Amino acid sequence: RHVADFQLSIASIIENSSGDCLAQDLHLQAQQLAERLKCDSVVSAISAGPGTVNFTINRELLAKTVLQQVWKDGSEYGVKSELFSTVPRQKAVVEFSSPNIAKKFHIGHLRSTIVGNFIANLKEALGHEVVRINYLGDWGMQFGLLGVGFQSFGNKEKLKSSPLQHLFEVYVQINKAEEDENTKKLAKDFFRKLEEHDKQALSIWQQFRDLSIEEYVRIYKRLGVHFDEYSGESFYQEKAQEVLNMLEDKGLLQKTVKGTGIVDLSEKKDLSTFSTVMRSDGTSLYITRQVNLAAAIDRMNKHSWDTMIYVTDKSQSNHFQHLFQILKLMGYDWAERCQHVSFGLVQGMKTRRGEVIFLEDVLNEVRSRMLQNMTSTKTTKETQDPVETAEKVGLAALIIQDFRGLLSSDYQFSWERALQSRGDTGVFLQYTHARLHSLEQMHGNAELTDVNVSCLQEPDAISVLQHLLRYDEVLYRSSQDLQPKHIVSYLLTLSHLAAVAHKTLPVKGSAPDVAQARLCLFHAARSVLANGMKLLGITPVTQM
């Protein structure tokens, strides 16, 4: 089956093709055009399809050009394409992950973490300057409760050795006691002390925050994720008051009968849509929206970014729409360059111990399940560090399962499906990468200098080359809509094509120049596979 390298749709170049052109007319025009076009040193064949003109590139030129390009550009292959030549280099702030200290790190936070990391990786690869921000839930009444709870149930050793787990336990215990009026009063007092910058209260809070971040950093590292800045709600408490004053000065702040502060967002100014920015008791206690407004304004002053992207689940879409609208009303035109990338909900992710409470639970679970799979398969060679390999392969499985569909769609999580070694999974990508890597190990590294490209004329070789040629288009699509699925399906197809070629085009036992040319082809496939995996946040393994 011959597939053309490029296709021209006749309908796209006819002036009056408003859909009233008959199919047979288009076909006739395609034939007439194909007959008038001449082949040259680049195009080796031209034919007409149903309403299309098909071009086949000189096979040797295709092989030579693709292999040279992949070889020369290395990890920048696809990124250096002229598709991106007109795209201005920008500064992007990406806010993602953003868990609440002492509360569960739920699956929504995990999605935000891997999606935000992908967006930041992609922007960085395309030459943009990226600031990765983790905006922690590190303030609010929960810290009043925590402060009191720690005095009753806290343990300094446990706080040092496993802060996230210990603070969560304390929080659960004190919440049980919260019904008690006295506890409520103590918690309010402690939080008031924090708001008044009481030294002792602040130092306890600071310890909770610092130790939590230290542990987050360690766990994110296992995920292959890092942040340039750990920000948080605590940074913007004073500034939130300034925002209210600004809203008041601009005449945007209205009070309801009950005394709640609102901003009218309706077109006709009839309060058909409005956003609450202040509670009726006048406290900055504590409307997230105010604080987010303050944070957005502060970031603009600090980073003067070109685009700011918030990555959270779709239940917060309304919140961000309001946020951007208020900023615009305040006269900040840059609000139009803010973007909310939202994602759907994941159902049914449980570990063997039950519900997911900590990110570490997920990482340990995926590692142990993968290890079990690896030890039970006959084909598994002894790897040098099976635990490390299991973790990387398991993470690939999680990420690919998550990225296969549109981000906005909900999906049912399944360990079985995610960890299958056959089919369209992260395990299959890792397996393909490891196989291609060991092929290179076995036969020595490919050298491009003396490759005889006339040895790469088999259909299975051509399929891989054609696919490699398309990589930049896929990167471009993902850069336009920030959806990882384009890259995922590209890499899965690449792996399937490489697997077929690996079977039908043996290196071992072939004539030297054939072996060398095939080795080069497999090297190029592995190189592009590795590039794409890294963008998605996956660390390619070299043995499995």
Side-chain angles (χ1 to χ4, degrees):
R1 192 172 68 88
H2 170 74
V3 187
D5 300 304
F6 293 95
Q7 222 173 31
L8 172 71
S9 147
I10 289 291
S12 69
I13 53 169
I14 294 177
E15 319 268 88
N16 63 350
S17 84
S18 51
D20 51 10
C21 239
L22 292 172
Q24 62 242 45
D25 293 348
L26 286 177
H27 192 61
L28 190 66
Q29 280 173 306
Q31 276 173 328
Q32 286 169 344
L33 181 58
E35 278 161 21
R36 286 166 56 198
L37 294 170
K38 301 265 184 295
C39 294
D40 60 12
S41 60
V42 177
V43 177
S44 60
I46 300 170
S47 63
T52 60
V53 177
N54 303 325
F55 299 90
T56 302
I57 300 299
N58 171 325
R59 287 297 167 235
E60 291 188 16
L61 185 73
L62 173 75
K64 198 170 155 187
T65 312
V66 171
L67 293 180
Q68 270 178 350
Q69 204 66 47
V70 176
W71 202 269
K72 187 170 115 256
D73 292 347
S75 63
E76 293 187 318
Y77 176 70
V79 172
K80 286 185 153 180
S81 155
E82 60 256 32
L83 282 179
F84 297 106
S85 57
T86 56
V87 179
R89 300 281 173 263
Q90 292 185 323
K91 183 169 191 179
V93 168
V94 187
E95 177 191 298
F96 62 106
S97 196
S98 308
N100 299 305
I101 290 177
K103 294 187 179 173
K104 286 176 195 162
F105 191 106
H106 58 75
I107 188 70
H109 292 123
L110 175 62
R111 266 203 113 172
S112 170
T113 308
I114 60 179
V115 172
N117 187 48
F118 158 70
I119 291 171
N121 288 348
L122 182 64
K123 295 249 174 218
E124 230 157 47
L126 295 173
H128 304 295
E129 186 187 342
V130 177
V131 182
R132 301 161 185 251
I133 297 182
N134 197 341
Y135 182 73
L136 300 173
D138 62 357
W139 199 251
M141 211 45 217
Q142 78 207 61
F143 284 91
L145 279 168
L146 260 188
V148 176
F150 199 75
Q151 285 157 5
S152 323
F153 311 111
N155 173 324
K156 288 212 160 103
E157 291 311 302
K158 279 188 179 169
L159 180 66
K160 283 217 160 65
S161 61
S162 51
L164 299 179
Q165 194 167 350
H166 186 52
L167 287 176
F168 179 73
E169 284 160 4
V170 170
Y171 190 58
V172 169
Q173 280 175 296
I174 192 71
N175 261 318
K176 287 188 187 133
E178 198 206 356
E179 313 312 315
D180 164 42
E181 282 308 310
N182 188 34
T183 307
K184 266 191 191 152
K185 185 183 161 317
L186 287 171
K188 265 199 170 138
D189 289 348
F190 189 89
F191 186 56
R192 201 186 59 247
K193 281 182 182 167
L194 278 179
E195 292 209 291
E196 291 164 0
H197 299 291
D198 172 88
K199 269 211 171 86
Q200 200 191 348
L202 271 180
S203 92
I204 293 172
W205 168 84
Q206 192 70 49
Q207 208 186 1
F208 291 167
R209 188 181 194 275
D210 292 348
L211 290 169
S212 294
I213 287 178
E214 253 174 62
E215 190 166 358
Y216 280 134
V217 169
R218 181 179 66 75
I219 297 165
Y220 285 131
K221 204 171 172 174
R222 279 179 68 179
L223 257 179
V225 171
H226 70 276
F227 291 92
D228 301 304
E229 201 178 295
Y230 281 85
S231 173
E233 298 170 348
S234 62
F235 284 52
Y236 300 107
Q237 293 316 306
E238 338 282 65
K239 293 200 168 88
Q241 191 50 52
E242 291 169 29
V243 168
L244 283 184
N245 300 342
M246 285 164 74
L247 287 169
E248 198 144 28
D249 294 346
K250 292 195 191 303
L252 296 168
L253 187 66
Q254 302 182 22
K255 292 270 173 66
T256 64
V257 186
K258 288 183 181 155
T260 314
I262 59 171
V263 175
D264 186 356
L265 298 175
S266 61
E267 296 259 314
K268 298 184 177 146
K269 298 292 165 227
D270 56 3
L271 288 179
S272 52
T273 48
F274 63 86
S275 179
T276 307
V277 290
M278 188 179 76
R279 299 226 170 129
S280 54
D281 56 8
T283 52
S284 75
L285 205 216
Y286 152 78
I287 294 248
T288 333
R289 197 157 288 133
Q290 241 170 296
V291 185
N292 284 356
L293 283 166
I297 295 165
D298 180 64
R299 271 179 213 166
M300 189 55 178
N301 296 338
K302 187 172 162 190
H303 295 295
S304 60
W305 41 263
D306 299 296
T307 167
M308 178 153 66
I309 299 168
Y310 297 88
V311 186
T312 72
D313 71 68
K314 59 187 178 189
S315 70
Q316 293 190 42
S317 295
N318 226 353
H319 165 84
F320 283 104
Q321 254 177 326
H322 284 186
L323 183 70
F324 303 158
Q325 280 176 294
I326 295 172
L327 284 166
K328 226 177 142 181
L329 287 172
M330 289 173 81
Y332 294 118
D333 295 340
W334 47 256
E336 298 189 341
R337 292 180 279 143
C338 294
Q339 191 181 356
H340 177 219
V341 173
S342 62
F343 51 80
L345 306 173
V346 183
Q347 276 102 14
M349 183 187 246
K350 287 201 168 21
T351 66
R352 294 198 173 107
R353 288 163 46 196
E355 178 197 16
V356 172
I357 297 177
F358 305 108
L359 173 56
E360 198 148 25
D361 296 341
V362 181
L363 298 181
N364 293 342
E365 180 83 9
V366 72
R367 184 171 68 189
S368 72
R369 282 178 184 256
M370 200 59 228
L371 223 99
Q372 206 180 347
N373 287 8
M374 279 163 54
T375 40
S376 64
T377 9
K378 305 273 185 296
T379 55
T380 311
K381 297 192 190 74
E382 278 301 301
T383 52
Q384 275 155 357
D385 189 346
V387 178
E388 180 77 358
T389 303
E391 178 139 315
K392 286 178 180 151
V393 176
L395 272 176
L398 271 189
I399 289 172
I400 295 298
Q401 168 147 298
D402 197 276
F403 285 179
R404 278 190 59 193
L406 266 175
L407 291 178
S408 56
S409 49
D410 305 340
Y411 73 92
Q412 192 67 36
F413 181 83
S414 145
W415 287 108
E416 279 61 50
R417 199 174 59 236
L419 298 174
Q420 277 168 1
S421 54
R422 296 210 171 6
D424 290 341
T425 64
V427 182
F428 173 60
L429 290 186
Q430 288 284 31
Y431 177 65
T432 306
H433 184 272
R435 257 175 96 185
L436 293 174
H437 185 267
S438 67
L439 187 71
E440 288 177 55
Q441 295 305 96
M442 233 161 40
H443 299 283
N445 284 339
E447 284 301 322
L448 191 67
T449 40
D450 45 1
V451 165
N452 178 358
V453 284
S454 62
C455 301
L456 290 175
Q457 301 308 304
E458 298 84 356
D460 292 338
I462 299 291
S463 297
V464 173
L465 290 164
Q466 283 176 325
H467 197 62
L468 291 175
L469 191 60
R470 283 190 46 240
Y471 184 55
D472 60 343
E473 294 173 27
V474 176
L475 291 183
Y476 186 73
R477 278 185 72 182
S478 277
S479 75
Q480 293 302 99
D481 63 7
L482 301 183
Q483 294 284 341
K485 67 176 190 135
H486 312 303
I487 297 175
V488 170
S489 67
Y490 175 88
L491 295 178
L492 288 164
T493 303
L494 177 60
S495 295
H496 286 296
L497 294 172
V500 170
H502 188 264
K503 270 204 201 83
T504 61
L505 310 171
V507 174
K508 197 177 170 183
S510 300
D513 56 343
V514 174
Q516 191 60 15
R518 287 176 181 175
L519 211 49
C520 257
L521 177 72
F522 290 125
H523 168 81
R526 185 189 66 79
S527 169
V528 174
L529 180 59
N531 292 348
M533 286 164 80
K534 286 175 194 161
L535 281 183
L536 298 173
I538 296 169
T539 309
V541 300
T542 51
Q543 29 170 219
M544 217 170 127

